[in-house]
Amino acid sequence: MRIAAAMEEQVPGDLRGAWYLSILGVRPAAQGQGLAQGLLRLTLARADLARALCFLETFNPLSLPFYRRLGFTRTVECVEPVSGRTYWLMVREAARRP
């Protein structure tokens, strides 16, 4: 609870009304099959329809390119003060409709 509270304090003010995407994980043996992208596709489509800003946090630097491919363009490097671990807060604007 202390870690979650400490991370919440670091969320920029412009994200207070944004959609927060919580924990997503795929077993290593199942990675590379499009499962994570499939899990996120529906949520991101709904966010686009709602014109909602989305954000997430990841402690895994290897996941940064994956989230960038899904449209998360703003990345803020943070340090979680309880454990001292680095993590990244990533933000995705709603996709523009033609």
Side-chain angles (χ1 to χ4, degrees):
M1 302 252 318
R2 288 178 42 221
I3 290 173
M7 290 173 70
E8 185 176 351
E9 289 178 12
Q10 296 189 64
V11 174
D14 67 320
L15 298 178
R16 294 294 178 199
W19 290 19
Y20 176 68
L21 306 181
S22 192
I23 299 168
L24 171 67
V26 175
R27 290 180 186 262
Q31 291 176 356
Q33 299 176 34
L35 297 173
Q37 186 171 354
L39 290 170
L40 284 171
R41 186 177 296 124
L42 181 59
T43 298
L44 295 177
R46 287 180 178 169
D48 292 343
L49 285 173
R51 309 289 306 136
L53 188 67
C54 296
F55 77 100
L56 57 83
E57 297 149 326
T58 181
F59 281 90
N60 183 355
L62 299 176
S63 68
L64 299 176
F66 167 75
Y67 289 121
R68 286 188 186 115
R69 285 192 303 274
L70 293 176
F72 289 83
T73 57
R74 190 167 104 201
T75 305
V76 179
E77 186 172 313
C78 305
V79 175
E80 190 282 300
V82 176
S83 67
R85 291 185 58 202
T86 299
Y87 71 96
W88 293 266
L89 186 145
M90 300 185 77
V91 180
R92 180 184 182 273
E93 302 280 339
R96 305 259 182 243
R97 297 275 177 191

